[in-house]
Amino acid sequence: MKRNAKTVFLCQGAIIAALYVVLTYAAKLFGLDSGVIQVRVSEMLCILPIFTPAAIPGLYLGCLISNLLTGAVWLDIIAGPIATLIGALGTYLLKKYPIVATLPPVAANALIVPFVLAYGYGIEETITFMMLTVGIGEVISVCVLGTGLYFSLKKHANRIFMLR
């Protein structure tokens, strides 16, 4: 990788991480960023690995920083970013199928986050119920908002992400 390509990769990842943190804080203002019913709008950025692999570490770091800054418990600080990382990797692997590529973040978060809620935060709802509620929030964030973001960026992706 040339020096310029490395710089672009690092900058894209850093910008995506920063956007994730800002959007998480915006969701927090409305109480949507955590809990049994959550719509973490920053998760819509999980569509970005379709455009650039720099989104993968950017999303992981954004989620990690967000969880550190919003007072998450240690289990959430570890498992939350891992769920986002798994989702971002899945999206990248399915990038040729943009609509299907929205599903890995939904699945990763619906399967991992309920255990964090139960064992990290002591929430007493059933794991199955929380899988459903977290999954619905992820569908709203990634499938609906993320797909809208995808179609908004698609036309100008080459200029936005400096693709060649």
Side-chain angles (χ1 to χ4, degrees):
M1 192 182 292
K2 293 182 181 178
R3 182 180 171 115
N4 186 41
K6 288 180 183 178
T7 303
V8 168
F9 185 91
L10 286 171
C11 289
Q12 287 177 345
I15 290 167
I16 291 166
L19 282 170
Y20 192 101
V21 172
V22 168
L23 289 171
T24 299
Y25 265 95
K28 186 173 181 66
L29 291 174
F30 297 100
L32 296 173
D33 69 314
S34 60
V36 175
I37 299 174
Q38 56 180 274
V39 180
R40 192 176 256 203
V41 293
S42 47
E43 285 286 302
M44 76 176 164
L45 299 176
C46 285
I47 199 72
L48 296 180
I50 289 175
F51 299 110
T52 176
I56 298 167
L59 291 165
Y60 173 81
L61 287 173
C63 186
L64 177 65
I65 293 166
S66 293
N67 286 359
L68 285 167
L69 295 177
T70 58
V73 299
W74 69 269
L75 185 59
D76 201 1
I77 291 169
I78 295 167
I82 289 171
T84 298
L85 177 63
I86 292 167
L89 286 168
T91 297
Y92 179 75
L93 293 173
L94 293 169
K95 66 184 177 182
K96 291 184 180 183
Y97 311 99
I99 302 304
V100 176
T102 63
L103 299 179
V106 173
N109 281 283
L111 292 173
I112 294 171
V113 172
F115 290 97
V116 172
L117 295 173
Y119 299 111
Y121 294 99
I123 295 176
E124 295 184 10
E125 299 290 343
T126 66
I127 297 288
T128 307
F129 175 74
M130 290 188 286
M131 285 179 171
L132 178 67
T133 61
V134 170
I136 290 170
E138 282 292 304
V139 165
I140 294 167
S141 297
V142 184
C143 298
V144 176
L145 299 176
T147 299
L149 179 62
Y150 168 79
F151 284 110
S152 297
L153 296 175
K154 183 180 174 189
K155 183 177 179 182
H156 302 288
N158 289 337
R159 284 189 290 156
I160 294 169
F161 296 103
M162 301 174 73
L163 305 173
R164 302 199 188 235

